[in-house]
């Protein structure tokens, strides 16, 4: 997956006259890691939610509006991740390479067993 996505990204860059490197690399990384860990690409809305969440991590107070937005974004993203996990599990897809991270999550246990 990584090699294919990196090759596609470099090919895209080579065809453009210019790029907004930080924005484009952020999008590339979000999409790549989403596909690695969930087996799915992100929607534009989900990319925005991740950006909001990451930005809120720098808030100095839980009363800071950016922290509240980040918490809300995280909750939406967690619900989506759970929906994707349940769908893959219920479809019997956890043994496929696409969902290797989900397979590890499903076999994990906490300190209480």
């Amino acid at each position: 997956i990584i090699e294919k996505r990196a090759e596609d990204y470099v090919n895209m860059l080579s065809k453009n006259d210019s790029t907004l490197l930080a924005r484009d690399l952020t999008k590339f990384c979000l999409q790549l890691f989403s596909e690695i860990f969930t087996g799915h690409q992100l929607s534009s809305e989900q990319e925005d939610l991740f950006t909001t969440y990451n930005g809120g991590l720098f808030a100095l107070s839980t009363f800071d509006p950016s922290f509240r937005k980040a918490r809300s974004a995280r909750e939406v993203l967690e619900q989506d991740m759970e929906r994707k996990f349940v769908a893959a599990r219920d479809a019997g897809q956890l043994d496929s390479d696409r969902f290797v991270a989900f397979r590890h999550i499903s076999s994990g246990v906490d300190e209480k067993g």
Side-chain angles (χ1 to χ4, degrees), residues 4-112:
K4 172 72 172 118
R5 295 294 172 247
E7 184 178 311
D8 291 346
Y9 178 71
V10 170
N11 286 336
M12 182 271 304
L13 286 178
S14 69
K15 294 175 184 173
N16 293 340
D17 292 334
S18 64
T19 185
L20 299 173
L21 195 57
R23 185 201 68 195
D24 291 344
L25 278 174
T26 298
K27 181 177 179 169
F28 169 76
C29 290
L30 284 171
Q31 291 295 347
L32 177 65
F33 290 120
S34 177
E35 190 168 358
I36 288 171
F37 289 107
T38 71
H40 297 278
Q41 292 281 303
L42 299 172
S43 68
S44 295
E45 178 187 359
Q46 290 168 324
E47 286 180 7
D48 292 343
L49 288 168
F50 266 107
T51 301
T52 298
Y53 172 68
N54 288 334
L57 295 176
F58 296 107
L60 298 176
S61 166
T62 57
F63 298 108
D64 186 314
S66 64
F67 178 83
R68 289 189 212 139
K69 288 179 185 176
R71 182 174 46 207
S72 176
R74 187 195 73 215
E75 290 169 358
V76 171
L77 291 165
E78 286 176 349
Q79 290 169 359
D80 182 64
M81 176 73 76
E82 183 176 2
R83 182 185 57 75
K84 289 175 181 175
F85 171 77
V86 168
R89 183 195 64 205
D90 291 351
Q93 297 176 326
L94 294 184
D95 287 331
S96 73
D97 289 342
R98 178 178 175 196
F99 296 109
V100 67
F102 281 169
R103 183 169 55 250
H104 289 290
I105 290 169
S106 71
S107 65
V109 295
D110 64 13
E111 64 276 3
K112 297 175 185 171

